[in-house]
Amino acid sequence: MTQDGSGNLAAISGHRAGPLRWRLAGRLAAGLPSLRGRGWPTRWMQDPANTYSGPRYRPPALAPVFDAVLRPGDCCYDVAAGLGIYTLWAAGVVGAAGEVHAFEEAPRTGATLAALVERNRLSSVHLSSAAVGASAAVGASAAVGVAPIPGATPITLDAHAARHRPPALVRIGGEAESLDVLRGAGELLRAHRPALLLAMPPRPARRGGDRSGENSHRGEGDRRAAGENPGELVSLLAAAGYRILNLSRRGLTGQGVFSPNVLALHDGWERFEQVAVTLRRTPLPRDRTA
């Protein structure tokens, strides 16, 4: 994939069409609002291969990203997994030969996710109540400035990946977690270059003319108080060789103000161009399932 000097993606033709119902559902999802963070109910709460027992939602907003990035047999990390909408979707994409490692430190939410995984007999899903952050020190928290939940063992993604399969995709579900989680994933980013699916802060950094990470930002002080600094996040990713791409209603783009959800890809990643081709014209609404 190429990119011109202004940050625009060069014209790339072709993309995976997929089943007609999924294309229609994706376009419908791009234009529909959500109710209290949940999608309008439909009869399609399933991944491309399975129908799951549990809450019935329209296809998750960012499901096409999982479809484009992951392959059967891959591993995916879902940090701040919540009720597991994307955990289940990823499990369907990677199949029985793959793995999904879901991290959810909130006890009640984690228990609900565990029950859903057990009910659907998803042996490829591995659950953890660990608080993923920048440090594995006692008392560390997944979000800077947020008190750790009792019983949630602190861990870094570097430490986890050293003992388990490294991921092809890492999703970080919460806006306030992204920077701290990635601070503890330096070795993982350097050695394995996974794709990163992130939520950007509500008042995002504006792109400069280059990818140096020296972007201006409106309302940055408000986000520092919540433990998230978008400028630091951009700088961290740029230093690691990552390019941040918008997930917009018109598809994947490297231009303009950061969208609420972004996909960060390493310039040297072998699947970079294939993923860009697939997502270039895929409508991607804001994720409201987290």
PDB file of all heavy atoms in Angstrom, residues 69-89:
ATOM      1  N   VAL A  69      -8.245  -8.534   9.014  1.00  0.00           N
ATOM      2  CA  VAL A  69      -6.927  -8.716   9.632  1.00  0.00           C
ATOM      3  C   VAL A  69      -6.649 -10.179   9.966  1.00  0.00           C
ATOM      4  O   VAL A  69      -5.547 -10.687   9.709  1.00  0.00           O
ATOM      5  CB  VAL A  69      -6.808  -7.854  10.901  1.00  0.00           C
ATOM      6  CG1 VAL A  69      -5.532  -8.194  11.670  1.00  0.00           C
ATOM      7  CG2 VAL A  69      -6.847  -6.368  10.546  1.00  0.00           C
ATOM      8  N   LEU A  70      -7.634 -10.854  10.543  1.00  0.00           N
ATOM      9  CA  LEU A  70      -7.410 -12.205  11.062  1.00  0.00           C
ATOM     10  C   LEU A  70      -7.607 -13.282   9.995  1.00  0.00           C
ATOM     11  O   LEU A  70      -8.413 -13.127   9.077  1.00  0.00           O
ATOM     12  CB  LEU A  70      -8.352 -12.473  12.237  1.00  0.00           C
ATOM     13  CG  LEU A  70      -8.131 -11.621  13.488  1.00  0.00           C
ATOM     14  CD1 LEU A  70      -9.239 -11.889  14.500  1.00  0.00           C
ATOM     15  CD2 LEU A  70      -6.759 -11.896  14.099  1.00  0.00           C
ATOM     16  N   ARG A  71      -6.891 -14.377  10.205  1.00  0.00           N
ATOM     17  CA  ARG A  71      -7.026 -15.559   9.363  1.00  0.00           C
ATOM     18  C   ARG A  71      -7.289 -16.758  10.251  1.00  0.00           C
ATOM     19  O   ARG A  71      -6.961 -16.743  11.444  1.00  0.00           O
ATOM     20  CB  ARG A  71      -5.742 -15.792   8.555  1.00  0.00           C
ATOM     21  CG  ARG A  71      -5.382 -14.661   7.611  1.00  0.00           C
ATOM     22  CD  ARG A  71      -4.023 -14.897   6.971  1.00  0.00           C
ATOM     23  NE  ARG A  71      -3.661 -13.830   6.055  1.00  0.00           N
ATOM     24  CZ  ARG A  71      -2.469 -13.725   5.451  1.00  0.00           C
ATOM     25  NH1 ARG A  71      -1.537 -14.650   5.697  1.00  0.00           N
ATOM     26  NH2 ARG A  71      -2.218 -12.730   4.626  1.00  0.00           N
ATOM     27  N   PRO A  72      -7.867 -17.833   9.701  1.00  0.00           N
ATOM     28  CA  PRO A  72      -8.042 -19.045  10.503  1.00  0.00           C
ATOM     29  C   PRO A  72      -6.717 -19.506  11.089  1.00  0.00           C
ATOM     30  O   PRO A  72      -5.693 -19.540  10.402  1.00  0.00           O
ATOM     31  CB  PRO A  72      -8.584 -20.062   9.479  1.00  0.00           C
ATOM     32  CG  PRO A  72      -9.297 -19.215   8.474  1.00  0.00           C
ATOM     33  CD  PRO A  72      -8.469 -17.962   8.350  1.00  0.00           C
ATOM     34  N   GLY A  73      -6.724 -19.817  12.389  1.00  0.00           N
ATOM     35  CA  GLY A  73      -5.520 -20.247  13.076  1.00  0.00           C
ATOM     36  C   GLY A  73      -4.760 -19.135  13.752  1.00  0.00           C
ATOM     37  O   GLY A  73      -3.816 -19.398  14.498  1.00  0.00           O
ATOM     38  N   ASP A  74      -5.162 -17.878  13.533  1.00  0.00           N
ATOM     39  CA  ASP A  74      -4.495 -16.736  14.164  1.00  0.00           C
ATOM     40  C   ASP A  74      -4.836 -16.633  15.641  1.00  0.00           C
ATOM     41  O   ASP A  74      -5.739 -17.303  16.149  1.00  0.00           O
ATOM     42  CB  ASP A  74      -4.919 -15.425  13.481  1.00  0.00           C
ATOM     43  CG  ASP A  74      -4.073 -15.093  12.267  1.00  0.00           C
ATOM     44  OD1 ASP A  74      -3.018 -15.736  12.079  1.00  0.00           O
ATOM     45  OD2 ASP A  74      -4.476 -14.192  11.500  1.00  0.00           O
ATOM     46  N   CYS A  75      -4.102 -15.728  16.315  1.00  0.00           N
ATOM     47  CA  CYS A  75      -4.370 -15.407  17.706  1.00  0.00           C
ATOM     48  C   CYS A  75      -4.765 -13.930  17.793  1.00  0.00           C
ATOM     49  O   CYS A  75      -4.210 -13.087  17.081  1.00  0.00           O
ATOM     50  CB  CYS A  75      -3.139 -15.666  18.564  1.00  0.00           C
ATOM     51  SG  CYS A  75      -3.371 -15.336  20.332  1.00  0.00           S
ATOM     52  N   CYS A  76      -5.732 -13.618  18.662  1.00  0.00           N
ATOM     53  CA  CYS A  76      -6.206 -12.256  18.857  1.00  0.00           C
ATOM     54  C   CYS A  76      -6.264 -11.957  20.345  1.00  0.00           C
ATOM     55  O   CYS A  76      -6.670 -12.808  21.140  1.00  0.00           O
ATOM     56  CB  CYS A  76      -7.603 -12.095  18.235  1.00  0.00           C
ATOM     57  SG  CYS A  76      -8.396 -10.500  18.542  1.00  0.00           S
ATOM     58  N   TYR A  77      -5.829 -10.751  20.746  1.00  0.00           N
ATOM     59  CA  TYR A  77      -5.967 -10.299  22.127  1.00  0.00           C
ATOM     60  C   TYR A  77      -7.077  -9.248  22.178  1.00  0.00           C
ATOM     61  O   TYR A  77      -7.053  -8.278  21.405  1.00  0.00           O
ATOM     62  CB  TYR A  77      -4.673  -9.659  22.641  1.00  0.00           C
ATOM     63  CG  TYR A  77      -3.513 -10.602  22.890  1.00  0.00           C
ATOM     64  CD1 TYR A  77      -3.610 -11.977  22.651  1.00  0.00           C
ATOM     65  CD2 TYR A  77      -2.304 -10.112  23.373  1.00  0.00           C
ATOM     66  CE1 TYR A  77      -2.536 -12.824  22.878  1.00  0.00           C
ATOM     67  CE2 TYR A  77      -1.223 -10.957  23.610  1.00  0.00           C
ATOM     68  CZ  TYR A  77      -1.335 -12.308  23.353  1.00  0.00           C
ATOM     69  OH  TYR A  77      -0.270 -13.147  23.576  1.00  0.00           O
ATOM     70  N   ASP A  78      -8.026  -9.427  23.075  1.00  0.00           N
ATOM     71  CA  ASP A  78      -9.129  -8.480  23.265  1.00  0.00           C
ATOM     72  C   ASP A  78      -9.020  -7.915  24.678  1.00  0.00           C
ATOM     73  O   ASP A  78      -9.394  -8.572  25.656  1.00  0.00           O
ATOM     74  CB  ASP A  78     -10.471  -9.183  23.055  1.00  0.00           C
ATOM     75  CG  ASP A  78     -11.638  -8.206  22.961  1.00  0.00           C
ATOM     76  OD1 ASP A  78     -11.400  -6.982  22.976  1.00  0.00           O
ATOM     77  OD2 ASP A  78     -12.792  -8.669  22.884  1.00  0.00           O
ATOM     78  N   VAL A  79      -8.473  -6.700  24.799  1.00  0.00           N
ATOM     79  CA  VAL A  79      -8.243  -6.069  26.097  1.00  0.00           C
ATOM     80  C   VAL A  79      -9.427  -5.178  26.431  1.00  0.00           C
ATOM     81  O   VAL A  79      -9.901  -4.424  25.584  1.00  0.00           O
ATOM     82  CB  VAL A  79      -6.942  -5.238  26.086  1.00  0.00           C
ATOM     83  CG1 VAL A  79      -6.700  -4.600  27.449  1.00  0.00           C
ATOM     84  CG2 VAL A  79      -5.759  -6.111  25.675  1.00  0.00           C
ATOM     85  N   ALA A  80      -9.894  -5.258  27.682  1.00  0.00           N
ATOM     86  CA  ALA A  80     -11.151  -4.598  28.071  1.00  0.00           C
ATOM     87  C   ALA A  80     -12.265  -5.158  27.213  1.00  0.00           C
ATOM     88  O   ALA A  80     -12.991  -4.431  26.536  1.00  0.00           O
ATOM     89  CB  ALA A  80     -11.049  -3.085  27.960  1.00  0.00           C
ATOM     90  N   ALA A  81     -12.425  -6.467  27.288  1.00  0.00           N
ATOM     91  CA  ALA A  81     -13.324  -7.186  26.378  1.00  0.00           C
ATOM     92  C   ALA A  81     -14.796  -6.930  26.648  1.00  0.00           C
ATOM     93  O   ALA A  81     -15.633  -7.163  25.770  1.00  0.00           O
ATOM     94  CB  ALA A  81     -13.037  -8.688  26.461  1.00  0.00           C
ATOM     95  N   GLY A  82     -15.125  -6.471  27.846  1.00  0.00           N
ATOM     96  CA  GLY A  82     -16.532  -6.238  28.166  1.00  0.00           C
ATOM     97  C   GLY A  82     -17.332  -7.529  28.152  1.00  0.00           C
ATOM     98  O   GLY A  82     -16.886  -8.561  28.653  1.00  0.00           O
ATOM     99  N   LEU A  83     -18.502  -7.476  27.540  1.00  0.00           N
ATOM    100  CA  LEU A  83     -19.356  -8.663  27.468  1.00  0.00           C
ATOM    101  C   LEU A  83     -18.933  -9.618  26.362  1.00  0.00           C
ATOM    102  O   LEU A  83     -19.533 -10.680  26.206  1.00  0.00           O
ATOM    103  CB  LEU A  83     -20.813  -8.246  27.260  1.00  0.00           C
ATOM    104  CG  LEU A  83     -21.442  -7.457  28.407  1.00  0.00           C
ATOM    105  CD1 LEU A  83     -22.861  -7.038  28.047  1.00  0.00           C
ATOM    106  CD2 LEU A  83     -21.442  -8.273  29.691  1.00  0.00           C
ATOM    107  N   GLY A  84     -17.934  -9.241  25.588  1.00  0.00           N
ATOM    108  CA  GLY A  84     -17.352 -10.179  24.641  1.00  0.00           C
ATOM    109  C   GLY A  84     -17.927 -10.174  23.246  1.00  0.00           C
ATOM    110  O   GLY A  84     -17.783 -11.164  22.520  1.00  0.00           O
ATOM    111  N   ILE A  85     -18.554  -9.072  22.827  1.00  0.00           N
ATOM    112  CA  ILE A  85     -19.091  -9.017  21.477  1.00  0.00           C
ATOM    113  C   ILE A  85     -17.991  -9.292  20.448  1.00  0.00           C
ATOM    114  O   ILE A  85     -18.156 -10.088  19.522  1.00  0.00           O
ATOM    115  CB  ILE A  85     -19.736  -7.644  21.203  1.00  0.00           C
ATOM    116  CG1 ILE A  85     -20.905  -7.402  22.162  1.00  0.00           C
ATOM    117  CG2 ILE A  85     -20.207  -7.545  19.757  1.00  0.00           C
ATOM    118  CD1 ILE A  85     -22.028  -8.385  22.040  1.00  0.00           C
ATOM    119  N   TYR A  86     -16.833  -8.650  20.632  1.00  0.00           N
ATOM    120  CA  TYR A  86     -15.731  -8.862  19.689  1.00  0.00           C
ATOM    121  C   TYR A  86     -14.937 -10.118  19.998  1.00  0.00           C
ATOM    122  O   TYR A  86     -14.330 -10.709  19.104  1.00  0.00           O
ATOM    123  CB  TYR A  86     -14.826  -7.626  19.662  1.00  0.00           C
ATOM    124  CG  TYR A  86     -15.474  -6.466  18.942  1.00  0.00           C
ATOM    125  CD1 TYR A  86     -15.906  -5.340  19.638  1.00  0.00           C
ATOM    126  CD2 TYR A  86     -15.691  -6.516  17.573  1.00  0.00           C
ATOM    127  CE1 TYR A  86     -16.523  -4.289  18.975  1.00  0.00           C
ATOM    128  CE2 TYR A  86     -16.305  -5.467  16.901  1.00  0.00           C
ATOM    129  CZ  TYR A  86     -16.722  -4.359  17.616  1.00  0.00           C
ATOM    130  OH  TYR A  86     -17.344  -3.319  16.955  1.00  0.00           O
ATOM    131  N   THR A  87     -14.930 -10.536  21.244  1.00  0.00           N
ATOM    132  CA  THR A  87     -14.289 -11.808  21.578  1.00  0.00           C
ATOM    133  C   THR A  87     -14.946 -12.945  20.815  1.00  0.00           C
ATOM    134  O   THR A  87     -14.274 -13.793  20.206  1.00  0.00           O
ATOM    135  CB  THR A  87     -14.385 -12.075  23.094  1.00  0.00           C
ATOM    136  OG1 THR A  87     -13.653 -11.077  23.805  1.00  0.00           O
ATOM    137  CG2 THR A  87     -13.824 -13.441  23.445  1.00  0.00           C
ATOM    138  N   LEU A  88     -16.278 -12.980  20.824  1.00  0.00           N
ATOM    139  CA  LEU A  88     -16.998 -14.021  20.116  1.00  0.00           C
ATOM    140  C   LEU A  88     -16.788 -13.920  18.615  1.00  0.00           C
ATOM    141  O   LEU A  88     -16.628 -14.935  17.929  1.00  0.00           O
ATOM    142  CB  LEU A  88     -18.488 -13.958  20.453  1.00  0.00           C
ATOM    143  CG  LEU A  88     -18.946 -14.808  21.647  1.00  0.00           C
ATOM    144  CD1 LEU A  88     -18.298 -14.329  22.946  1.00  0.00           C
ATOM    145  CD2 LEU A  88     -20.468 -14.787  21.771  1.00  0.00           C
ATOM    146  N   TRP A  89     -16.802 -12.697  18.114  1.00  0.00           N
ATOM    147  CA  TRP A  89     -16.604 -12.536  16.673  1.00  0.00           C
ATOM    148  C   TRP A  89     -15.220 -13.042  16.259  1.00  0.00           C
ATOM    149  O   TRP A  89     -15.092 -13.770  15.264  1.00  0.00           O
ATOM    150  CB  TRP A  89     -16.769 -11.075  16.273  1.00  0.00           C
ATOM    151  CG  TRP A  89     -16.859 -10.908  14.786  1.00  0.00           C
ATOM    152  CD1 TRP A  89     -15.825 -10.781  13.902  1.00  0.00           C
ATOM    153  CD2 TRP A  89     -18.057 -10.905  14.008  1.00  0.00           C
ATOM    154  NE1 TRP A  89     -16.298 -10.678  12.618  1.00  0.00           N
ATOM    155  CE2 TRP A  89     -17.663 -10.747  12.652  1.00  0.00           C
ATOM    156  CE3 TRP A  89     -19.408 -10.988  14.308  1.00  0.00           C
ATOM    157  CZ2 TRP A  89     -18.595 -10.686  11.611  1.00  0.00           C
ATOM    158  CZ3 TRP A  89     -20.332 -10.921  13.270  1.00  0.00           C
ATOM    159  CH2 TRP A  89     -19.926 -10.780  11.950  1.00  0.00           C
TER     160      TRP A  89
END
